[in-house]
Every structure is written in C-alpha cells, then in structure tokens.
Amino acid sequence: MSVVLRNLQRAVPLRRARLRKDVETLRHILGIYRFDLGLICVDNRRIQYINKTYRQNDSPTDVLSFPFYEVVTAHGLCHLLGYRHGTEMEWKQMFQKESQVLEEFNRRTGHQLQPLTKNAF
C-alpha cells in the first residue's frame, strides 16, 4: 500500500508531509489498507475539464474519484467506499459517514473539519 501525491495547482499551498500524514490517518479511520492511493490536486479549470469529460458536468467540483487515484479528503474516501450525494437519501447517508469519520479525525489530529456535503440539500 502506498500513497502518491501530486500537486498541479498553485492556488492553495500544500505541505506534502502533513498531507501524507492526514491521508494515512483518514485511511486508518476508514479501514482502507488493501489498495494504493493516488492524490492529484488541481485548479478549478482543470477539475472542471475532468468533470465535463468523465461526468458530463461542465462545472468545477470539490472531489472526483476514480478507481486508482483519489483526492485526499474524507469526502473523497467516502466516495471510494460507495457513498454518493446525488439524492437527498444518498446525501444523508454520506453526510452521516463523513461526519463520523471527521469526528474521529478531528479527535486524533486536533483539527475542526466539517463535511464538505454539509449544505448539499
């Protein structure tokens, strides 16, 4: 199991060591140990292009997840586990899981992160 990080944007400064540690903490919380994780950070223009190409949605988004590389957030990892937020019922399930994961993550790291889907519906 490995984590590969790639930063292709300049809008948000990233500290790779901290990001790698946070990824490992989230993977541990979620019990994800059996596959490699790739994370690519991109700007709005590039994620909008990828979103249009793969989801036919011509707008930027917070996370896109694919089988072999994911964006590092509890949100993206929840998507990997099959959680979605296309309907209100899906959103409620994902919000509950994301909240649970972030609560544990915050307890372990001292962060105060909130789910990205907090105001989706």
Side-chain angles (χ1 to χ4, degrees):
M1 171 188 81
S2 66
V3 176
V4 177
L5 305 174
R6 190 152 182 224
N7 183 17
L8 302 179
Q9 57 83 43
R10 294 184 180 158
V12 178
L14 292 177
R15 293 176 41 210
R16 289 178 186 258
R18 178 64 190 200
L19 185 56
R20 184 175 301 278
K21 182 179 176 185
D22 289 349
V23 168
E24 291 303 325
T25 300
L26 288 167
R27 285 173 60 151
H28 182 74
I29 292 167
L30 289 165
I32 300 173
Y33 303 106
R34 295 179 292 160
F35 57 87
D36 295 331
L37 180 69
L39 151 60
I40 303 170
C41 299
V42 298
D43 59 21
N44 280 344
R45 183 187 57 77
R46 186 170 288 186
I47 203 162
Q48 180 173 346
Y49 173 78
I50 296 167
N51 200 19
K52 182 178 180 182
T53 300
Y54 290 97
R55 297 182 59 230
Q56 294 73 51
N57 186 339
D58 192 15
S59 63
T61 185
D62 57 348
V63 172
L64 289 171
S65 56
F66 299 93
F68 297 108
Y69 46 93
E70 301 301 327
V71 174
V72 63
T73 61
H75 186 85
L77 292 173
C78 284
H79 278 300
L80 271 177
L81 294 173
Y83 291 90
R84 301 287 178 256
H85 47 77
T87 68
E88 187 170 357
M89 180 182 286
E90 289 175 339
W91 172 81
K92 286 179 181 179
Q93 292 171 339
M94 183 161 177
F95 181 78
Q96 181 180 17
K97 184 62 168 181
E98 195 173 351
S99 295
Q100 175 189 15
V101 169
L102 287 175
E103 181 178 315
E104 178 63 17
F105 182 77
N106 291 340
R107 186 186 70 75
R108 292 182 187 203
T109 64
H111 292 335
Q112 295 182 346
L113 302 177
Q114 297 293 316
L116 292 172
T117 57
K118 186 173 184 178
N119 297 314
F121 279 91

